[in-house]
Amino acid sequence: MEAETKKTEPVEAEENAAAAEQEAAAQQPQQEPAKDAAKEPEQEPAKDAKPEAAAPAEPDPLEAAQKALADKEKEYLYLRAEYDNFRRRSAKEKSDAYSSAKADAALKFLPVYDNLERALTQGCQDEAFLKGIEMTMNQLKQVLESLDIKPIDAVGQTFDPKYHNAVMHIEDEKLGENVVSQCFQTGFVMGDKVIRFAMVQVAN
């Protein structure tokens, strides 16, 4: 009996030691093998890889509103300048059209003026008839002056091609150089515009 007891004691001791090792191994955390970690190479960033583009910043509402206001202001100034030019151009065209129409109408009455002027230079023995011609002539002159149409001074004046049309030339020692000696047809101006040149004779 003693022999059997001695044999079983070493067996139980071995079993107890194996059980203790298993418990200790179970309590320790499992560690990943170092070999696998060593084998994995570190990944380097690709050379061609581009950095991610930054997200675009949201536009500032105030800045956008100021830009829109500046654009509208430029458009308004352009339209105002265009309107001012159109208004001035229209006013000038209207004035020119009125002046041209007035000048054209006055030209139709100038032959009447010429005939009355000839009648006065011819004279008449009937004083009443001559008086009537003078009154008619004066009335016609008043009408022309009311339209800003005036006769051009000619006789005794220095010849001016802006107002005079020379149709004859004489030599006269009593008169100066380039002096109008006679007027064959009276000229007229309307403001600064000549509507008919004076037909004259120039001395020297």
Side-chain angles (χ1 to χ4, degrees), residues 14-26:
E14 291 178 359
E15 291 177 355
N16 292 335
E21 290 179 0
Q22 288 179 358
E23 290 179 2

Side-chain angles (χ1 to χ4, degrees), residues 116-176:
L116 291 174
E117 191 174 40
R118 292 190 190 98
L120 289 174
T121 57
Q122 293 295 327
C124 182
Q125 295 180 353
D126 189 344
E127 293 184 359
F129 181 75
L130 183 61
K131 186 66 175 178
I133 294 176
E134 290 177 352
M135 291 177 63
T136 305
M137 184 63 163
N138 291 333
Q139 187 176 13
L140 180 58
K141 286 181 178 180
Q142 290 176 0
V143 171
L144 293 175
E145 288 180 0
S146 67
L147 297 173
D148 195 25
I149 298 174
K150 299 177 182 180
I152 296 173
D153 292 334
V155 178
Q157 302 294 322
T158 302
F159 174 76
D160 188 349
K162 293 181 180 178
Y163 302 103
H164 305 141
N165 180 22
V167 295
M168 290 185 66
H169 177 265
I170 63 170
E171 296 292 336
D172 191 343
E173 296 178 355
K174 297 179 182 180
L175 299 174

Side-chain angles (χ1 to χ4, degrees):
M1 294 293 293
E2 293 179 359
E4 292 177 359
T5 302
K6 291 180 181 180
K7 290 180 182 180
T8 54
E9 288 179 358
V11 174
E12 292 178 357
E14 291 178 359
E15 291 177 355
N16 292 335
E21 290 179 0
Q22 288 179 358
E23 290 179 2
Q27 291 177 358
Q28 290 180 357
Q30 296 180 355
Q31 297 180 356
E32 295 180 356
K35 293 180 180 180
D36 296 339
K39 288 181 180 180
E40 294 180 359
E42 295 182 359
Q43 295 181 355
E44 296 181 359
K47 294 181 180 180
D48 297 336
K50 296 181 179 179
E52 295 182 359
E58 295 183 359
D60 186 4
L62 178 60
E63 184 178 353
Q66 289 176 346
K67 185 178 182 301
L69 179 62
D71 293 341
K72 291 296 181 182
E73 185 177 3
K74 289 180 181 179
E75 182 178 356
Y76 165 73
L77 293 175
Y78 175 78
L79 290 175
R80 189 177 69 174
E82 284 292 322
Y83 174 74
D84 289 341
N85 292 336
F86 169 76
R87 181 171 52 81
R88 285 193 294 268
R89 185 169 59 251
S90 298
K92 186 177 183 303
E93 290 176 354
K94 182 178 179 181
S95 177
D96 293 344
Y98 173 73
S99 298
S100 298
K102 186 169 64 172
D104 292 341
L107 283 173
K108 303 295 183 181
F109 290 96
L110 293 185
V112 178
Y113 181 95
D114 296 336
N115 290 330
L116 291 174
E117 191 174 40
R118 292 190 190 98
L120 289 174
T121 57
Q122 293 295 327
C124 182
Q125 295 180 353
D126 189 344
E127 293 184 359
F129 181 75
L130 183 61
K131 186 66 175 178
I133 294 176
E134 290 177 352
M135 291 177 63
T136 305
M137 184 63 163
N138 291 333
Q139 187 176 13
L140 180 58
K141 286 181 178 180
Q142 290 176 0
V143 171
L144 293 175
E145 288 180 0
S146 67
L147 297 173
D148 195 25
I149 298 174
K150 299 177 182 180
I152 296 173
D153 292 334
V155 178
Q157 302 294 322
T158 302
F159 174 76
D160 188 349
K162 293 181 180 178
Y163 302 103
H164 305 141
N165 180 22
V167 295
M168 290 185 66
H169 177 265
I170 63 170
E171 296 292 336
D172 191 343
E173 296 178 355
K174 297 179 182 180
L175 299 174
E177 185 178 359
N178 272 350
V179 174
V180 176
S181 59
Q182 187 177 356
C183 180
F184 302 112
Q185 188 180 60
T186 305
F188 290 88
V189 292
M190 186 177 65
D192 296 333
K193 180 181 179 181
V194 177
I195 62 175
R196 190 175 79 174
F197 290 91
M199 190 180 299
V200 299
Q201 173 182 273
V202 182
N204 306 321

